[in-house]
Amino acid sequence: MYLVLGVGNDLLGDDGVGPYIAEVLHNSEWEVLNAGIVPENFIRPIRTRKPDIIVIVDAVDMGSAPGTIRIIPSEYIRDVGIGTHQMSLAYLIDQVSPWSKIYFIGIQPGCLDPDTPLTVPVRSAADSLITIIRSHDFDKVLVLGKEDAKEQD
């Protein structure tokens, strides 16, 4: 079983990218949970399901151009993020990783103003990521901190 966990606050512009992806992927081959701003509340449902693959999507401040997509390795999780959820995603990942292959994918936000829609670059990146998720082609996503090595291949 495959699971997408959308994380973020859809009332704060681009921070809603995780919930947007969860909404679009609803009724697909992926099981979808929109965790909003409380992803830690979904540890038990995830553990119960024991998915083979979990894709966690959140707006992440990587200091990049808006719409940049990266797989976030565990050693970077505490360094990135925009802090709209209570606990670090590292805690959630630690709690569910014994059963699942996990891809934590961040999209660089542009605007986090209240009551604004996703910006064009972030929505475009989200739509590209949806295609990648549907095709299970995660090799197309660069890994944060390893961009140079992958781009030279």
Side-chain angles (χ1 to χ4, degrees):
M1 185 236 309
Y2 310 120
L3 177 86
V4 170
L5 185 72
V7 178
N9 186 338
D10 55 4
L11 298 176
L12 295 176
D14 290 339
D15 192 36
V17 70
Y20 168 78
I21 289 173
E23 181 180 320
V24 171
L25 287 172
H26 185 73
N27 293 326
S28 69
E29 72 169 296
W30 288 78
E31 189 152 340
V32 177
L33 294 172
N34 181 350
I37 60 172
V38 288
E40 63 275 9
N41 287 353
F42 291 84
I43 292 171
R44 175 174 237 136
I46 293 170
R47 287 175 126 183
T48 301
R49 288 173 172 89
K50 293 185 176 148
D52 299 306
I53 295 174
I54 301 171
V55 176
I56 301 169
V57 182
D58 193 10
V60 172
D61 186 4
M62 301 172 280
S64 302
T68 299
I69 304 170
R70 294 289 183 268
I71 293 174
I72 311 298
S74 59
E75 65 265 23
Y76 286 97
I77 292 173
R78 286 180 172 76
D79 298 334
V80 298
I82 54 175
T84 58
H85 30 83
Q86 297 298 314
M87 297 183 103
S88 167
L89 288 175
Y91 176 75
L92 175 124
I93 291 168
D94 287 344
Q95 295 298 307
V96 300
S97 62
W99 300 278
S100 306
K101 167 85 173 148
I102 298 174
Y103 294 96
F104 174 29
I105 301 177
I107 298 179
Q108 175 70 47
C111 176
L112 299 173
D113 293 340
D115 299 319
T116 57
L118 295 179
T119 60
V120 171
V122 169
R123 187 179 187 117
S124 176
D127 292 339
S128 295
L129 182 55
I130 289 165
T131 300
I132 290 168
I133 291 170
R134 284 183 170 147
S135 68
H136 300 248
D137 199 3
F138 299 104
D139 289 338
K140 289 186 176 180
V141 182
L142 296 176
V143 177
L144 184 66
K146 299 179 183 174
E147 297 92 338
D148 293 337
K150 182 118 182 183
E151 289 171 354
Q152 292 175 358
D153 289 346

